[in-house]
Amino acid sequence: MAAADSISSDGFEPQPGSPPPARFEPRGDVYPPAGRGPRNVSDPADGLGREDHVRPQVDSGTPESFKPLEGLLVLDFSQFLSGPSAALRLADLGARVIKVERPDGGDLCRRLYISNLELDGDSTLFHSINRNKESVSANLKNPDDLRFVRALIEKADVMIQNFRPGVIERIGLHYEAVREWNPRLVYGEITGYGKTGPWSGKPGQDLLVQSLSGLAWLNGDAGQPPVPFGLSVADMFAGAHLAQGILACLVRRGVTGKGGYVEVSLLESILDLQFEVLTTHLNDGGKLPERSAVNNAHAYLGAPYGIYRTSDGYIALAMGSVIQLGQLLECEALAAFHDPSTWFTCRDEIKAILSGHLAKRPTAYWIFRLEPADYWCADVLNWKQLLEHEAFRALHMTQTTVNGSGAALATTRCPIRIDGKMLLSPVGAPKIGEHNSKIKAEVFGG
């Protein structure tokens, strides 16, 4: 499943969403260590924080319970996957994230389904990528809503949006405008292909970006058509890159006191993902990658690299000596390839020999012969096998979130651990405008 990530609608009406503290005071960036009084963050060089008058009073608690971004307020105007994934990571790290959504339908990802799964009226995809957030709804054509949105932006530490180039300018929430309201704001923007060039107006959709980037020619076997990833990799990497840029600007803000403007595109992120092979292409005379005709796993690696069928499943073989492999597997035919250069020039021939040999025995038999010799190999699991494995259970990689309606979702957790602690939150994804009254009361009083 791939998700479109650049919004084309000019009539967007902003959308807030995220979990707030008892009082609405955007959280400052720096909390005092246990046993000390609050730090004075009015000095630009003192931490990442906002001025004291907008920072909530908090119990310092214990260092173990502290998340690094507690005290930050993030406004997530983005939709679909890339922008919301960046905001999700900031929420996982402790920031308060408020989705700003249009009243009529909200984030379009609410209706972007995977296998037609739905929870509490919205797609499970939306729930998985918008957990741990609040939501407000706003119509930017309404003066009162616009005043509300501006008040939020004036108090925010971070703002994220992923409209097509030109749309946010028409709305009046582009960086040049909002930095006048809040010079300390870190503004994050994701486009499909950048803001200039002949592709800037194209839909920023993951499959389309993969197809244009050359990535699809790295997957599948020779003779097959281009094969895209079965994941929205452009969206996910762009979201990760945006989060990295935002965090870097927050660190810089702690030194200079000024915000910043972070720009990422799906295309640039997916090109960066290919840096290893693109660098090879740029330095080998411009040769195109040649996929193996047999069990291709990496167009630029020789035999035995690939996944092979066994008598009861599959086995993955990484890079290694073909001669040693032949000895360990008792496959005499591999002894003919004593020159390492043939492991690439005769790649398909070697892999065909291996395919026939490995199919004779079960996966566990081959792993038993290879692992003691430290030859890199692995079983090939499906999700059912993985989730039942002790190695997966040891990671505690899943969590359950519950939204305001009581709907529960089993999903993954943030993969980052800080000071030995997992970053968990039971807060489920919000309904459109679920926190309007609460957040307006916090902003305007009453």
Side-chain angles (χ1 to χ4, degrees), residues 283-404:
N283 290 277
D284 69 357
K287 297 177 183 177
L288 291 175
E290 296 181 11
R291 297 178 292 175
S292 174
V294 182
N295 302 342
N296 177 65
H298 195 300
Y300 285 92
L301 289 180
Y305 203 86
I307 291 177
Y308 298 81
R309 182 181 293 276
T310 64
S311 66
D312 66 345
Y314 293 88
I315 186 172
L317 298 177
M319 63 283 290
S321 166
V322 169
I323 299 302
Q324 182 192 17
L325 181 62
Q327 294 167 350
L328 294 170
L329 299 180
E330 296 182 345
C331 180
E332 295 180 0
L334 296 183
F337 303 97
H338 53 83
D339 182 353
S341 67
T342 62
W343 304 347
F344 191 89
T345 58
C346 299
R347 178 175 61 181
D348 291 347
E349 182 181 352
I350 295 170
K351 295 176 82 171
I353 293 170
L354 274 170
S355 293
H357 188 76
L358 292 168
K360 298 174 183 178
R361 300 272 192 166
T363 302
Y365 174 84
W366 299 124
I367 290 180
F368 180 78
R369 297 185 69 92
L370 296 174
E371 280 193 337
D374 199 25
Y375 200 97
W376 293 353
C377 64
D379 200 347
V380 181
L381 306 180
N382 59 34
W383 284 337
K384 183 177 185 299
Q385 294 169 318
L386 171 67
L387 268 59
E388 292 173 351
H389 201 287
E390 178 58 31
F392 176 82
R393 292 197 295 266
L395 295 175
H396 304 288
M397 193 61 207
T398 61
Q399 63 179 342
T400 298
T401 62
V402 181
N403 71 0

Side-chain angles (χ1 to χ4, degrees), residues 85-319:
S85 71
L88 172 62
R89 189 58 69 235
L90 299 179
D92 285 336
L93 290 167
R96 180 187 184 183
V97 178
I98 300 177
K99 285 187 69 67
V100 184
E101 303 187 74
R102 67 181 85 197
D104 55 338
D107 182 344
L108 296 176
C109 189
R110 291 180 180 272
R111 300 184 295 283
L112 188 62
Y113 291 93
I114 297 180
S115 299
N116 294 321
L117 286 177
E118 183 176 282
L119 179 70
D120 199 24
D122 295 312
S123 72
T124 53
L125 174 60
F126 173 83
H127 281 273
S128 65
I129 209 163
N130 288 286
R131 58 179 174 78
N132 205 14
K133 301 179 185 179
E134 298 166 273
S135 172
V136 298
S137 59
N139 181 345
L140 291 185
K141 298 175 183 177
N142 181 307
D144 290 337
D145 284 1
L146 187 58
R147 184 169 67 96
F148 172 46
V149 168
R150 175 166 178 167
L152 284 173
I153 293 173
E154 288 175 347
K155 295 176 179 293
D157 296 283
V158 176
M159 174 177 166
I160 295 172
Q161 61 90 1
N162 63 347
F163 299 102
R164 283 192 189 178
V167 173
I168 200 71
E169 287 78 8
R170 290 191 288 274
I171 294 172
L173 296 180
H174 50 297
Y175 177 63
E176 291 74 13
V178 299
R179 71 175 175 181
E180 297 297 323
W181 309 341
N182 182 357
R184 293 175 57 80
L185 183 73
V186 175
Y187 187 104
E189 176 180 82
I190 299 180
T191 59
Y193 310 87
K195 299 172 73 172
T196 60
W199 290 351
S200 61
K202 281 182 174 288
Q205 197 275 338
D206 197 280
L207 177 62
L208 306 185
V209 174
Q210 287 193 45
S211 301
L212 289 168
S213 73
L215 184 69
W217 285 106
L218 299 175
N219 303 316
D221 293 340
Q224 290 184 318
V227 179
F229 272 78
L231 295 169
S232 300
V233 289
D235 293 330
M236 296 298 100
F237 273 90
H241 292 156
L242 185 68
Q244 293 167 17
I246 287 170
L247 293 172
C249 276
L250 288 171
V251 172
R252 186 183 69 179
R253 190 182 73 175
V255 177
T256 67
K258 297 179 181 179
Y261 182 25
V262 183
E263 297 177 83
V264 171
S265 77
L266 303 186
L267 181 58
E268 287 167 295
S269 287
I270 210 67
L271 292 173
D272 180 70
L273 173 63
Q274 300 175 80
F275 77 92
E276 172 191 13
V277 290
L278 269 176
T279 299
T280 301
H281 173 72
L282 292 170
N283 290 277
D284 69 357
K287 297 177 183 177
L288 291 175
E290 296 181 11
R291 297 178 292 175
S292 174
V294 182
N295 302 342
N296 177 65
H298 195 300
Y300 285 92
L301 289 180
Y305 203 86
I307 291 177
Y308 298 81
R309 182 181 293 276
T310 64
S311 66
D312 66 345
Y314 293 88
I315 186 172
L317 298 177
M319 63 283 290

